[in-house]
Amino acid sequence: AGERPEFIIEYSCSHRTHESTPTPEHGVIDVLGADCVEGYFPFDGDNNEATGKFASESTGKFYHLDGYFGKGVRMDDGYITAKDFRPGSGSFSVGLWFKTGGIPGDPALLSNKDWRSGGNPGFVLGLSGTSAFFNCGNGHGRFDTGAVLPLDFKDGWIYVVWSVDREANTVGVSMDFEPFRTTPIKEEFRGASFDTDLPVRIGQDGTGTYGKSFAVLIDELVITNRALNNDDLAALKKFYAAE
């Protein structure tokens, strides 16, 4: 999908081992608030979206394996279409647990663009090699930012949050509940809609045909309708890490 800048944000190592435990009855929706959570996928043996706020459709084959809570999912051969999620020019955030022994290529986690070129209209959140990235384009220009994964990322679970704040015109990335490191959005993208004619897909780009599959075990995927902040990270850490 084209050249991206070298990311210089680094995070400290942390303890990664975690045996799968049942998904709590009162979970991340209660932590962040039902009004905030636009979509929540616990992936406990299926791909059902738990809030009922938008319809989703699964395409292809999925592998439900032991996750952080209950089961997680790998999307090597499938993807989910989030039919009613259109961020437009509004703020949103995406958080999830992921576990991988390595990330070949630059697969899309959440995208509504043709990711064969970073300058194509729309946005993409994804993983690449040893980094988590955000990209948006408008057909002639592009904006990229991201963060380097912890040095011990292959040892177990990592929690990552992307926070797209359209009011502050920043994109923040947090790993393992560390405070957000933010990057100003390029002026040409400020106030512009990120929507395209393609739907938002999970585990693929907007076309559903990008050549790099999302071969990563993920769990507890949450999409919010506002930019999460450091207080939200502290609440998520207390919930997930029981600290």
Side-chain angles (χ1 to χ4, degrees), residues 31-45:
V31 174
L32 297 175
D35 291 342
C36 167
V37 176
E38 192 73 13
Y40 168 51
F41 293 84
F43 295 122
D44 284 338

Side-chain angles (χ1 to χ4, degrees), residues 145-164:
T145 189
V148 175
L149 303 183
L151 295 176
D152 61 345
F153 78 92
K154 294 183 180 181
D155 293 344
W157 290 99
I158 298 171
Y159 194 77
V160 60
V161 180
W162 291 267
S163 181
V164 182

Side-chain angles (χ1 to χ4, degrees), residues 111-115 117-124 134-139 141-143 189 193-198:
S111 179
N112 67 349
K113 72 183 295 171
D114 180 346
W115 183 218
S117 172
N120 285 338
F123 75 94
V124 57
F134 169 88
N135 159 277
C136 64
N138 56 16
R142 62 187 287 171
F143 166 68
F189 294 101
S193 173
F194 286 162
D195 290 346
T196 69
D197 293 335
L198 298 171

Side-chain angles (χ1 to χ4, degrees), residues 8 11 14 22 34 43 50 93 106 120 122 130 169 182 188 195 207 222:
I8 59 174
Y11 292 81
S14 64
F43 295 122
S93 300
D106 54 358
N120 285 338
T130 59
N169 290 309
T182 60
E188 64 186 287
D195 290 346
T207 70
V222 62

Side-chain angles (χ1 to χ4, degrees), residues 11 14-15 33 38 59 79 86 95 97 105 130 141 222 232 236:
Y11 292 81
S14 64
H15 187 63
E38 192 73 13
T59 301
Y79 59 84
R86 295 179 63 82
W97 286 100
T130 59
V222 62
D232 297 313
L236 288 166

